[in-house]
Amino acid sequence: MIVILAAMDEEISALKELMSIEKERIIHNTECTFGVLGGKDVLLAKSGVGKVEAAVRVTMLLSLFDIDYLINIGSAGSLDENIPVGSVIIPNVLGVHDFDVPDEKWTKNFTDQRHTFYPDQRLLDIAKMISDDKTFFAPHVSGDAFIYRNDQIDKIKNEFPRAKSCEMEAAAIANACEIMDVPYIIIRAISDVTLRKDSEIDFDTYLKTASCNSALFCRNFIEKEGLYEH
């Protein structure tokens, strides 16, 4: 079975429209939908917003079920004006931009292996097979804040200059998956470009578009991955 995690109702709804739903349950205060997507058995779960919510739910689900791999879908903010709203962003390395220890710089710029995470290479290779010119494979950061202010952007750009996108759960999900030794991939779509003024308004406007694009890529990915099973 494949676990698919999304943080928000809009992201959950977009994927539900693409899957055949068999049953819905609440497991440890977590909304879970079981069904079929792309010809495979899937468990779609709502992670909630933020790193702690996401990490707790990943750990719970991976402890309860026999999971082949995990996909995290949803929206993200672009840190590069060349990656516009609607684009699909698939991180090839992830970091945590708000983890900070005084007098230590090892968490910055994906340099410390304790806080740098790498999605499964086989899953990344399959994603590349269905990618197009609106799909980007790039470094990505997560933190417990919606990024839209100049001071936030400047801090990330200074400490993670390679990062092309950001949001609030993916690195924590990656961390939990690596601890639990479960393969994973992150499939996000851009809802706002953080470098633009009023990007928080763009998020509200384009969240549905980003949710649909991420969900559609997820379905196509699962269909393709089924052709390349071990």
Side-chain angles (χ1 to χ4, degrees), residues 86-135:
S87 302
V88 171
I89 186 99
I90 299 178
N92 50 25
V93 59
L94 299 102
V96 180
H97 68 73
D98 59 355
F99 188 97
D100 194 13
V101 177
D103 302 322
E104 293 197 36
K105 301 300 182 185
W106 41 261
T107 61
K108 309 301 186 271
N109 202 25
F110 310 103
T111 55
D112 178 70
Q113 294 305 305
R114 290 169 293 180
H115 297 87
T116 302
F117 312 105
Y118 296 91
D120 183 77
Q121 188 59 53
R122 185 184 78 89
L123 300 181
L124 287 175
D125 289 342
I126 291 171
K128 290 175 182 176
M129 295 178 187
I130 61 171
S131 64
D132 57 21
D133 59 359
K134 295 182 179 179
T135 310

mmCIF file of all heavy atoms in Angstrom, residues 86-135:
data_model
loop_
_atom_site.group_PDB
_atom_site.id
_atom_site.type_symbol
_atom_site.label_atom_id
_atom_site.label_comp_id
_atom_site.label_asym_id
_atom_site.label_seq_id
_atom_site.Cartn_x
_atom_site.Cartn_y
_atom_site.Cartn_z
ATOM 1 N N GLY A 86 1.582 27.176 -10.447
ATOM 2 C CA GLY A 86 1.089 26.044 -11.222
ATOM 3 C C GLY A 86 2.138 25.008 -11.535
ATOM 4 O O GLY A 86 1.810 23.863 -11.864
ATOM 5 N N SER A 87 3.411 25.382 -11.457
ATOM 6 C CA SER A 87 4.494 24.432 -11.720
ATOM 7 C C SER A 87 4.509 23.339 -10.651
ATOM 8 O O SER A 87 4.118 23.559 -9.509
ATOM 9 C CB SER A 87 5.845 25.146 -11.702
ATOM 10 O OG SER A 87 5.897 26.191 -12.636
ATOM 11 N N VAL A 88 4.973 22.163 -11.047
ATOM 12 C CA VAL A 88 5.176 21.072 -10.089
ATOM 13 C C VAL A 88 6.634 21.098 -9.647
ATOM 14 O O VAL A 88 7.545 21.157 -10.478
ATOM 15 C CB VAL A 88 4.820 19.711 -10.710
ATOM 16 C CG1 VAL A 88 5.244 18.561 -9.788
ATOM 17 C CG2 VAL A 88 3.327 19.633 -10.989
ATOM 18 N N ILE A 89 6.853 21.095 -8.338
ATOM 19 C CA ILE A 89 8.213 21.088 -7.790
ATOM 20 C C ILE A 89 8.428 19.787 -7.028
ATOM 21 O O ILE A 89 7.618 19.413 -6.181
ATOM 22 C CB ILE A 89 8.474 22.315 -6.889
ATOM 23 C CG1 ILE A 89 9.934 22.364 -6.460
ATOM 24 C CG2 ILE A 89 7.549 22.372 -5.695
ATOM 25 C CD1 ILE A 89 10.781 23.293 -7.247
ATOM 26 N N ILE A 90 9.491 19.072 -7.381
ATOM 27 C CA ILE A 90 9.816 17.805 -6.734
ATOM 28 C C ILE A 90 11.198 17.944 -6.112
ATOM 29 O O ILE A 90 12.210 17.992 -6.823
ATOM 30 C CB ILE A 90 9.771 16.647 -7.748
ATOM 31 C CG1 ILE A 90 8.356 16.539 -8.336
ATOM 32 C CG2 ILE A 90 10.196 15.336 -7.087
ATOM 33 C CD1 ILE A 90 8.189 15.478 -9.382
ATOM 34 N N PRO A 91 11.277 18.085 -4.799
ATOM 35 C CA PRO A 91 12.575 18.263 -4.149
ATOM 36 C C PRO A 91 13.501 17.070 -4.360
ATOM 37 O O PRO A 91 13.083 15.918 -4.227
ATOM 38 C CB PRO A 91 12.204 18.417 -2.672
ATOM 39 C CG PRO A 91 10.780 18.881 -2.674
ATOM 40 C CD PRO A 91 10.153 18.186 -3.850
ATOM 41 N N ASN A 92 14.773 17.363 -4.688
ATOM 42 C CA ASN A 92 15.786 16.312 -4.725
ATOM 43 C C ASN A 92 16.676 16.341 -3.488
ATOM 44 O O ASN A 92 17.483 15.445 -3.274
ATOM 45 C CB ASN A 92 16.628 16.395 -6.001
ATOM 46 C CG ASN A 92 17.170 17.786 -6.259
ATOM 47 O OD1 ASN A 92 17.337 18.571 -5.337
ATOM 48 N ND2 ASN A 92 17.420 18.103 -7.529
ATOM 49 N N VAL A 93 16.520 17.376 -2.664
ATOM 50 C CA VAL A 93 17.152 17.452 -1.351
ATOM 51 C C VAL A 93 16.313 18.421 -0.519
ATOM 52 O O VAL A 93 15.758 19.385 -1.055
ATOM 53 C CB VAL A 93 18.620 17.916 -1.452
ATOM 54 C CG1 VAL A 93 18.738 19.286 -2.095
ATOM 55 C CG2 VAL A 93 19.300 17.917 -0.081
ATOM 56 N N LEU A 94 16.201 18.150 0.783
ATOM 57 C CA LEU A 94 15.375 18.982 1.655
ATOM 58 C C LEU A 94 16.138 19.389 2.899
ATOM 59 O O LEU A 94 16.958 18.628 3.420
ATOM 60 C CB LEU A 94 14.102 18.238 2.086
ATOM 61 C CG LEU A 94 13.141 17.808 0.994
ATOM 62 C CD1 LEU A 94 13.317 16.316 0.705
ATOM 63 C CD2 LEU A 94 11.696 18.093 1.386
ATOM 64 N N GLY A 95 15.830 20.606 3.377
ATOM 65 C CA GLY A 95 16.398 21.097 4.620
ATOM 66 C C GLY A 95 15.342 21.793 5.455
ATOM 67 O O GLY A 95 14.232 22.053 4.987
ATOM 68 N N VAL A 96 15.698 22.120 6.706
ATOM 69 C CA VAL A 96 14.797 22.816 7.629
ATOM 70 C C VAL A 96 15.344 24.228 7.837
ATOM 71 O O VAL A 96 16.415 24.406 8.418
ATOM 72 C CB VAL A 96 14.697 22.076 8.971
ATOM 73 C CG1 VAL A 96 13.766 22.816 9.924
ATOM 74 C CG2 VAL A 96 14.218 20.645 8.756
ATOM 75 N N HIS A 97 14.604 25.240 7.380
ATOM 76 C CA HIS A 97 15.153 26.591 7.403
ATOM 77 C C HIS A 97 15.028 27.285 8.760
ATOM 78 O O HIS A 97 15.686 28.307 8.988
ATOM 79 C CB HIS A 97 14.530 27.461 6.309
ATOM 80 C CG HIS A 97 13.080 27.792 6.504
ATOM 81 N ND1 HIS A 97 12.639 28.688 7.440
ATOM 82 C CD2 HIS A 97 11.970 27.354 5.847
ATOM 83 C CE1 HIS A 97 11.324 28.786 7.367
ATOM 84 N NE2 HIS A 97 10.886 27.986 6.418
ATOM 85 N N ASP A 98 14.224 26.752 9.677
ATOM 86 C CA ASP A 98 14.053 27.424 10.969
ATOM 87 C C ASP A 98 14.637 26.638 12.140
ATOM 88 O O ASP A 98 14.338 26.935 13.291
ATOM 89 C CB ASP A 98 12.575 27.750 11.227
ATOM 90 C CG ASP A 98 11.688 26.515 11.240
ATOM 91 O OD1 ASP A 98 12.183 25.402 10.967
ATOM 92 O OD2 ASP A 98 10.487 26.663 11.520
ATOM 93 N N PHE A 99 15.465 25.655 11.858
ATOM 94 C CA PHE A 99 16.202 24.959 12.920
ATOM 95 C C PHE A 99 17.491 25.727 13.152
ATOM 96 O O PHE A 99 18.296 25.894 12.245
ATOM 97 C CB PHE A 99 16.505 23.515 12.519
ATOM 98 C CG PHE A 99 17.096 22.689 13.629
ATOM 99 C CD1 PHE A 99 16.288 21.861 14.388
ATOM 100 C CD2 PHE A 99 18.448 22.755 13.923
ATOM 101 C CE1 PHE A 99 16.822 21.107 15.428
ATOM 102 C CE2 PHE A 99 18.985 22.006 14.956
ATOM 103 C CZ PHE A 99 18.176 21.175 15.708
ATOM 104 N N ASP A 100 17.696 26.210 14.373
ATOM 105 C CA ASP A 100 18.832 27.089 14.629
ATOM 106 C C ASP A 100 19.408 26.815 16.003
ATOM 107 O O ASP A 100 18.669 26.708 16.992
ATOM 108 C CB ASP A 100 18.397 28.558 14.522
ATOM 109 C CG ASP A 100 19.573 29.518 14.431
ATOM 110 O OD1 ASP A 100 20.702 29.044 14.206
ATOM 111 O OD2 ASP A 100 19.358 30.725 14.581
ATOM 112 N N VAL A 101 20.709 26.679 16.074
ATOM 113 C CA VAL A 101 21.419 26.491 17.331
ATOM 114 C C VAL A 101 22.484 27.581 17.422
ATOM 115 O O VAL A 101 23.259 27.762 16.488
ATOM 116 C CB VAL A 101 22.085 25.094 17.404
ATOM 117 C CG1 VAL A 101 22.882 24.950 18.701
ATOM 118 C CG2 VAL A 101 21.041 24.002 17.294
ATOM 119 N N PRO A 102 22.547 28.348 18.510
ATOM 120 C CA PRO A 102 23.530 29.433 18.612
ATOM 121 C C PRO A 102 24.956 28.952 18.370
ATOM 122 O O PRO A 102 25.364 27.896 18.861
ATOM 123 C CB PRO A 102 23.357 29.927 20.053
ATOM 124 C CG PRO A 102 21.956 29.561 20.400
ATOM 125 C CD PRO A 102 21.689 28.267 19.695
ATOM 126 N N ASP A 103 25.681 29.745 17.574
ATOM 127 C CA ASP A 103 27.100 29.497 17.299
ATOM 128 C C ASP A 103 27.355 28.249 16.470
ATOM 129 O O ASP A 103 28.495 27.819 16.330
ATOM 130 C CB ASP A 103 27.918 29.414 18.608
ATOM 131 C CG ASP A 103 27.790 30.687 19.419
ATOM 132 O OD1 ASP A 103 27.763 31.763 18.812
ATOM 133 O OD2 ASP A 103 27.698 30.594 20.656
ATOM 134 N N GLU A 104 26.298 27.660 15.914
ATOM 135 C CA GLU A 104 26.492 26.509 15.040
ATOM 136 C C GLU A 104 25.848 26.798 13.695
ATOM 137 O O GLU A 104 24.711 27.222 13.620
ATOM 138 C CB GLU A 104 25.895 25.234 15.648
ATOM 139 C CG GLU A 104 26.628 24.784 16.908
ATOM 140 C CD GLU A 104 26.306 23.339 17.261
ATOM 141 O OE1 GLU A 104 26.145 22.540 16.327
ATOM 142 O OE2 GLU A 104 26.215 23.035 18.452
ATOM 143 N N LYS A 105 26.579 26.543 12.624
ATOM 144 C CA LYS A 105 26.093 26.832 11.280
ATOM 145 C C LYS A 105 25.899 25.556 10.459
ATOM 146 O O LYS A 105 25.679 25.608 9.266
ATOM 147 C CB LYS A 105 27.091 27.751 10.551
ATOM 148 C CG LYS A 105 27.320 29.083 11.261
ATOM 149 C CD LYS A 105 26.037 29.887 11.388
ATOM 150 C CE LYS A 105 26.276 31.226 12.058
ATOM 151 N NZ LYS A 105 25.013 31.973 12.284
ATOM 152 N N TRP A 106 25.970 24.407 11.141
ATOM 153 C CA TRP A 106 25.939 23.165 10.382
ATOM 154 C C TRP A 106 24.585 22.829 9.783
ATOM 155 O O TRP A 106 24.464 21.921 8.987
ATOM 156 C CB TRP A 106 26.425 22.010 11.249
ATOM 157 C CG TRP A 106 25.960 22.002 12.668
ATOM 158 C CD1 TRP A 106 26.654 22.437 13.740
ATOM 159 C CD2 TRP A 106 24.710 21.543 13.183
ATOM 160 N NE1 TRP A 106 25.917 22.282 14.895
ATOM 161 C CE2 TRP A 106 24.730 21.730 14.591
ATOM 162 C CE3 TRP A 106 23.575 20.991 12.595
ATOM 163 C CZ2 TRP A 106 23.653 21.389 15.397
ATOM 164 C CZ3 TRP A 106 22.508 20.651 13.406
ATOM 165 C CH2 TRP A 106 22.559 20.847 14.788
ATOM 166 N N THR A 107 23.540 23.540 10.162
ATOM 167 C CA THR A 107 22.222 23.248 9.581
ATOM 168 C C THR A 107 22.005 23.966 8.251
ATOM 169 O O THR A 107 21.012 23.750 7.588
ATOM 170 C CB THR A 107 21.100 23.682 10.538
ATOM 171 O OG1 THR A 107 21.193 25.091 10.756
ATOM 172 C CG2 THR A 107 21.206 22.956 11.852
ATOM 173 N N LYS A 108 22.924 24.839 7.858
ATOM 174 C CA LYS A 108 22.673 25.727 6.724
ATOM 175 C C LYS A 108 23.122 25.129 5.387
ATOM 176 O O LYS A 108 24.092 24.374 5.307
ATOM 177 C CB LYS A 108 23.372 27.073 6.953
ATOM 178 C CG LYS A 108 23.065 27.708 8.321
ATOM 179 C CD LYS A 108 21.567 27.961 8.504
ATOM 180 C CE LYS A 108 21.266 28.724 9.785
ATOM 181 N NZ LYS A 108 21.058 27.882 10.933
ATOM 182 N N ASN A 109 22.400 25.503 4.342
ATOM 183 C CA ASN A 109 22.760 25.202 2.954
ATOM 184 C C ASN A 109 22.947 23.709 2.682
ATOM 185 O O ASN A 109 23.827 23.321 1.915
ATOM 186 C CB ASN A 109 24.016 25.980 2.540
ATOM 187 C CG ASN A 109 24.103 26.135 1.032
ATOM 188 O OD1 ASN A 109 23.092 26.097 0.337
ATOM 189 N ND2 ASN A 109 25.299 26.304 0.517
ATOM 190 N N PHE A 110 22.140 22.873 3.347
ATOM 191 C CA PHE A 110 22.133 21.432 3.100
ATOM 192 C C PHE A 110 23.506 20.797 3.368
ATOM 193 O O PHE A 110 23.900 19.849 2.692
ATOM 194 C CB PHE A 110 21.692 21.141 1.657
ATOM 195 C CG PHE A 110 20.434 21.839 1.242
ATOM 196 C CD1 PHE A 110 20.484 22.967 0.429
ATOM 197 C CD2 PHE A 110 19.193 21.405 1.657
ATOM 198 C CE1 PHE A 110 19.329 23.624 0.037
ATOM 199 C CE2 PHE A 110 18.027 22.052 1.277
ATOM 200 C CZ PHE A 110 18.104 23.176 0.468
ATOM 201 N N THR A 111 24.236 21.321 4.348
ATOM 202 C CA THR A 111 25.592 20.827 4.587
ATOM 203 C C THR A 111 25.673 19.801 5.707
ATOM 204 O O THR A 111 26.669 19.080 5.802
ATOM 205 C CB THR A 111 26.536 22.001 4.936
ATOM 206 O OG1 THR A 111 25.995 22.718 6.048
ATOM 207 C CG2 THR A 111 26.685 22.944 3.747
ATOM 208 N N ASP A 112 24.674 19.723 6.564
ATOM 209 C CA ASP A 112 24.723 18.791 7.683
ATOM 210 C C ASP A 112 23.787 17.618 7.437
ATOM 211 O O ASP A 112 22.588 17.790 7.243
ATOM 212 C CB ASP A 112 24.317 19.490 8.983
ATOM 213 C CG ASP A 112 24.312 18.507 10.141
ATOM 214 O OD1 ASP A 112 25.412 18.071 10.533
ATOM 215 O OD2 ASP A 112 23.222 18.171 10.622
ATOM 216 N N GLN A 113 24.331 16.425 7.436
ATOM 217 C CA GLN A 113 23.542 15.246 7.083
ATOM 218 C C GLN A 113 22.449 14.932 8.099
ATOM 219 O O GLN A 113 21.471 14.260 7.771
ATOM 220 C CB GLN A 113 24.468 14.035 6.911
ATOM 221 C CG GLN A 113 25.407 14.164 5.725
ATOM 222 C CD GLN A 113 24.649 14.440 4.438
ATOM 223 O OE1 GLN A 113 23.754 13.694 4.064
ATOM 224 N NE2 GLN A 113 24.995 15.521 3.751
ATOM 225 N N ARG A 114 22.564 15.437 9.321
ATOM 226 C CA ARG A 114 21.523 15.182 10.318
ATOM 227 C C ARG A 114 20.248 15.950 9.996
ATOM 228 O O ARG A 114 19.173 15.582 10.458
ATOM 229 C CB ARG A 114 22.026 15.567 11.709
ATOM 230 C CG ARG A 114 23.098 14.642 12.259
ATOM 231 C CD ARG A 114 23.731 15.219 13.504
ATOM 232 N NE ARG A 114 24.496 16.430 13.200
ATOM 233 C CZ ARG A 114 25.151 17.139 14.117
ATOM 234 N NH1 ARG A 114 25.109 16.769 15.378
ATOM 235 N NH2 ARG A 114 25.827 18.215 13.766
ATOM 236 N N HIS A 115 20.362 17.024 9.240
ATOM 237 C CA HIS A 115 19.199 17.847 8.924
ATOM 238 C C HIS A 115 19.072 18.081 7.420
ATOM 239 O O HIS A 115 18.541 19.101 6.992
ATOM 240 C CB HIS A 115 19.275 19.173 9.684
ATOM 241 C CG HIS A 115 19.247 18.995 11.164
ATOM 242 N ND1 HIS A 115 20.385 18.779 11.905
ATOM 243 C CD2 HIS A 115 18.217 18.965 12.047
ATOM 244 C CE1 HIS A 115 20.063 18.632 13.180
ATOM 245 N NE2 HIS A 115 18.759 18.741 13.294
ATOM 246 N N THR A 116 19.586 17.147 6.637
ATOM 247 C CA THR A 116 19.470 17.177 5.181
ATOM 248 C C THR A 116 18.907 15.835 4.742
ATOM 249 O O THR A 116 19.390 14.781 5.167
ATOM 250 C CB THR A 116 20.833 17.422 4.518
ATOM 251 O OG1 THR A 116 21.371 18.652 4.996
ATOM 252 C CG2 THR A 116 20.688 17.510 3.006
ATOM 253 N N PHE A 117 17.891 15.869 3.879
ATOM 254 C CA PHE A 117 17.143 14.652 3.562
ATOM 255 C C PHE A 117 17.039 14.475 2.051
ATOM 256 O O PHE A 117 16.866 15.445 1.306
ATOM 257 C CB PHE A 117 15.757 14.718 4.200
ATOM 258 C CG PHE A 117 15.811 15.139 5.645
ATOM 259 C CD1 PHE A 117 15.428 16.414 6.037
ATOM 260 C CD2 PHE A 117 16.296 14.268 6.614
ATOM 261 C CE1 PHE A 117 15.501 16.812 7.360
ATOM 262 C CE2 PHE A 117 16.384 14.665 7.945
ATOM 263 C CZ PHE A 117 15.983 15.938 8.321
ATOM 264 N N TYR A 118 17.124 13.207 1.618
ATOM 265 C CA TYR A 118 17.168 12.894 0.197
ATOM 266 C C TYR A 118 16.067 11.896 -0.164
ATOM 267 O O TYR A 118 16.099 10.746 0.285
ATOM 268 C CB TYR A 118 18.530 12.303 -0.167
ATOM 269 C CG TYR A 118 19.677 13.270 0.043
ATOM 270 C CD1 TYR A 118 20.358 13.312 1.266
ATOM 271 C CD2 TYR A 118 20.066 14.144 -0.959
ATOM 272 C CE1 TYR A 118 21.401 14.198 1.476
ATOM 273 C CE2 TYR A 118 21.112 15.030 -0.769
ATOM 274 C CZ TYR A 118 21.777 15.059 0.449
ATOM 275 O OH TYR A 118 22.810 15.943 0.661
ATOM 276 N N PRO A 119 15.093 12.302 -0.976
ATOM 277 C CA PRO A 119 14.051 11.374 -1.419
ATOM 278 C C PRO A 119 14.636 10.180 -2.165
ATOM 279 O O PRO A 119 15.763 10.232 -2.679
ATOM 280 C CB PRO A 119 13.182 12.240 -2.345
ATOM 281 C CG PRO A 119 13.404 13.634 -1.854
ATOM 282 C CD PRO A 119 14.844 13.682 -1.426
ATOM 283 N N ASP A 120 13.860 9.123 -2.226
ATOM 284 C CA ASP A 120 14.294 7.875 -2.844
ATOM 285 C C ASP A 120 14.659 8.100 -4.315
ATOM 286 O O ASP A 120 13.862 8.641 -5.089
ATOM 287 C CB ASP A 120 13.171 6.840 -2.731
ATOM 288 C CG ASP A 120 13.560 5.501 -3.288
ATOM 289 O OD1 ASP A 120 14.292 4.760 -2.613
ATOM 290 O OD2 ASP A 120 13.130 5.192 -4.424
ATOM 291 N N GLN A 121 15.845 7.660 -4.700
ATOM 292 C CA GLN A 121 16.320 7.928 -6.062
ATOM 293 C C GLN A 121 15.494 7.201 -7.110
ATOM 294 O O GLN A 121 15.240 7.737 -8.196
ATOM 295 C CB GLN A 121 17.788 7.530 -6.193
ATOM 296 C CG GLN A 121 18.416 7.959 -7.516
ATOM 297 C CD GLN A 121 18.355 9.455 -7.740
ATOM 298 O OE1 GLN A 121 18.786 10.240 -6.890
ATOM 299 N NE2 GLN A 121 17.811 9.882 -8.869
ATOM 300 N N ARG A 122 15.061 5.978 -6.822
ATOM 301 C CA ARG A 122 14.233 5.251 -7.797
ATOM 302 C C ARG A 122 12.932 5.992 -8.061
ATOM 303 O O ARG A 122 12.497 6.122 -9.222
ATOM 304 C CB ARG A 122 13.924 3.837 -7.281
ATOM 305 C CG ARG A 122 13.170 2.966 -8.299
ATOM 306 C CD ARG A 122 12.812 1.623 -7.697
ATOM 307 N NE ARG A 122 11.665 1.728 -6.817
ATOM 308 C CZ ARG A 122 10.389 1.595 -7.218
ATOM 309 N NH1 ARG A 122 10.106 1.355 -8.492
ATOM 310 N NH2 ARG A 122 9.408 1.687 -6.347
ATOM 311 N N LEU A 123 12.314 6.518 -7.008
ATOM 312 C CA LEU A 123 11.075 7.262 -7.177
ATOM 313 C C LEU A 123 11.318 8.563 -7.931
ATOM 314 O O LEU A 123 10.502 8.969 -8.777
ATOM 315 C CB LEU A 123 10.434 7.530 -5.815
ATOM 316 C CG LEU A 123 10.060 6.288 -4.998
ATOM 317 C CD1 LEU A 123 9.419 6.698 -3.682
ATOM 318 C CD2 LEU A 123 9.128 5.367 -5.773
ATOM 319 N N LEU A 124 12.431 9.230 -7.662
ATOM 320 C CA LEU A 124 12.770 10.445 -8.411
ATOM 321 C C LEU A 124 12.960 10.133 -9.893
ATOM 322 O O LEU A 124 12.508 10.891 -10.768
ATOM 323 C CB LEU A 124 14.042 11.074 -7.850
ATOM 324 C CG LEU A 124 13.942 11.782 -6.502
ATOM 325 C CD1 LEU A 124 15.320 12.240 -6.053
ATOM 326 C CD2 LEU A 124 12.989 12.967 -6.570
ATOM 327 N N ASP A 125 13.609 9.023 -10.190
ATOM 328 C CA ASP A 125 13.848 8.655 -11.596
ATOM 329 C C ASP A 125 12.537 8.409 -12.329
ATOM 330 O O ASP A 125 12.382 8.783 -13.502
ATOM 331 C CB ASP A 125 14.730 7.409 -11.674
ATOM 332 C CG ASP A 125 16.172 7.679 -11.259
ATOM 333 O OD1 ASP A 125 16.568 8.863 -11.236
ATOM 334 O OD2 ASP A 125 16.888 6.703 -10.950
ATOM 335 N N ILE A 126 11.576 7.799 -11.645
ATOM 336 C CA ILE A 126 10.272 7.552 -12.269
ATOM 337 C C ILE A 126 9.537 8.869 -12.482
ATOM 338 O O ILE A 126 8.902 9.087 -13.522
ATOM 339 C CB ILE A 126 9.451 6.570 -11.405
ATOM 340 C CG1 ILE A 126 10.103 5.183 -11.463
ATOM 341 C CG2 ILE A 126 7.998 6.511 -11.875
ATOM 342 C CD1 ILE A 126 9.530 4.197 -10.490
ATOM 343 N N ALA A 127 9.622 9.778 -11.507
ATOM 344 C CA ALA A 127 8.989 11.098 -11.673
ATOM 345 C C ALA A 127 9.552 11.834 -12.883
ATOM 346 O O ALA A 127 8.823 12.533 -13.607
ATOM 347 C CB ALA A 127 9.174 11.920 -10.405
ATOM 348 N N LYS A 128 10.839 11.677 -13.124
ATOM 349 C CA LYS A 128 11.463 12.346 -14.272
ATOM 350 C C LYS A 128 10.908 11.824 -15.598
ATOM 351 O O LYS A 128 10.873 12.553 -16.594
ATOM 352 C CB LYS A 128 12.978 12.168 -14.220
ATOM 353 C CG LYS A 128 13.628 12.946 -13.087
ATOM 354 C CD LYS A 128 15.123 12.654 -12.967
ATOM 355 C CE LYS A 128 15.727 13.414 -11.795
ATOM 356 N NZ LYS A 128 17.157 13.094 -11.587
ATOM 357 N N MET A 129 10.450 10.574 -15.601
ATOM 358 C CA MET A 129 9.904 9.997 -16.824
ATOM 359 C C MET A 129 8.609 10.668 -17.260
ATOM 360 O O MET A 129 8.253 10.639 -18.442
ATOM 361 C CB MET A 129 9.657 8.492 -16.635
ATOM 362 C CG MET A 129 10.901 7.666 -16.409
ATOM 363 S SD MET A 129 10.468 5.922 -16.150
ATOM 364 C CE MET A 129 12.058 5.240 -15.691
ATOM 365 N N ILE A 130 7.872 11.244 -16.308
ATOM 366 C CA ILE A 130 6.586 11.873 -16.654
ATOM 367 C C ILE A 130 6.651 13.389 -16.527
ATOM 368 O O ILE A 130 5.626 14.062 -16.593
ATOM 369 C CB ILE A 130 5.442 11.315 -15.779
ATOM 370 C CG1 ILE A 130 5.700 11.592 -14.293
ATOM 371 C CG2 ILE A 130 5.246 9.819 -16.028
ATOM 372 C CD1 ILE A 130 4.507 11.265 -13.411
ATOM 373 N N SER A 131 7.838 13.923 -16.332
ATOM 374 C CA SER A 131 7.978 15.367 -16.159
ATOM 375 C C SER A 131 7.922 16.091 -17.501
ATOM 376 O O SER A 131 8.123 15.499 -18.562
ATOM 377 C CB SER A 131 9.287 15.689 -15.450
ATOM 378 O OG SER A 131 10.391 15.294 -16.240
ATOM 379 N N ASP A 132 7.639 17.392 -17.429
ATOM 380 C CA ASP A 132 7.651 18.235 -18.616
ATOM 381 C C ASP A 132 8.327 19.553 -18.267
ATOM 382 O O ASP A 132 8.994 19.649 -17.227
ATOM 383 C CB ASP A 132 6.235 18.453 -19.166
ATOM 384 C CG ASP A 132 5.287 19.067 -18.140
ATOM 385 O OD1 ASP A 132 5.772 19.692 -17.162
ATOM 386 O OD2 ASP A 132 4.058 18.944 -18.300
ATOM 387 N N ASP A 133 8.170 20.574 -19.125
ATOM 388 C CA ASP A 133 8.872 21.827 -18.873
ATOM 389 C C ASP A 133 8.269 22.624 -17.722
ATOM 390 O O ASP A 133 8.789 23.688 -17.360
ATOM 391 C CB ASP A 133 8.929 22.687 -20.141
ATOM 392 C CG ASP A 133 7.560 23.045 -20.691
ATOM 393 O OD1 ASP A 133 6.534 22.612 -20.118
ATOM 394 O OD2 ASP A 133 7.500 23.758 -21.707
ATOM 395 N N LYS A 134 7.192 22.123 -17.130
ATOM 396 C CA LYS A 134 6.598 22.770 -15.958
ATOM 397 C C LYS A 134 6.864 21.971 -14.681
ATOM 398 O O LYS A 134 6.230 22.197 -13.656
ATOM 399 C CB LYS A 134 5.099 22.956 -16.158
ATOM 400 C CG LYS A 134 4.751 23.929 -17.292
ATOM 401 C CD LYS A 134 3.257 24.115 -17.432
ATOM 402 C CE LYS A 134 2.934 25.100 -18.559
ATOM 403 N NZ LYS A 134 1.468 25.281 -18.726
ATOM 404 N N THR A 135 7.812 21.041 -14.767
ATOM 405 C CA THR A 135 8.215 20.232 -13.614
ATOM 406 C C THR A 135 9.652 20.575 -13.259
ATOM 407 O O THR A 135 10.513 20.608 -14.134
ATOM 408 C CB THR A 135 8.110 18.727 -13.926
ATOM 409 O OG1 THR A 135 6.831 18.434 -14.484
ATOM 410 C CG2 THR A 135 8.332 17.899 -12.673
#
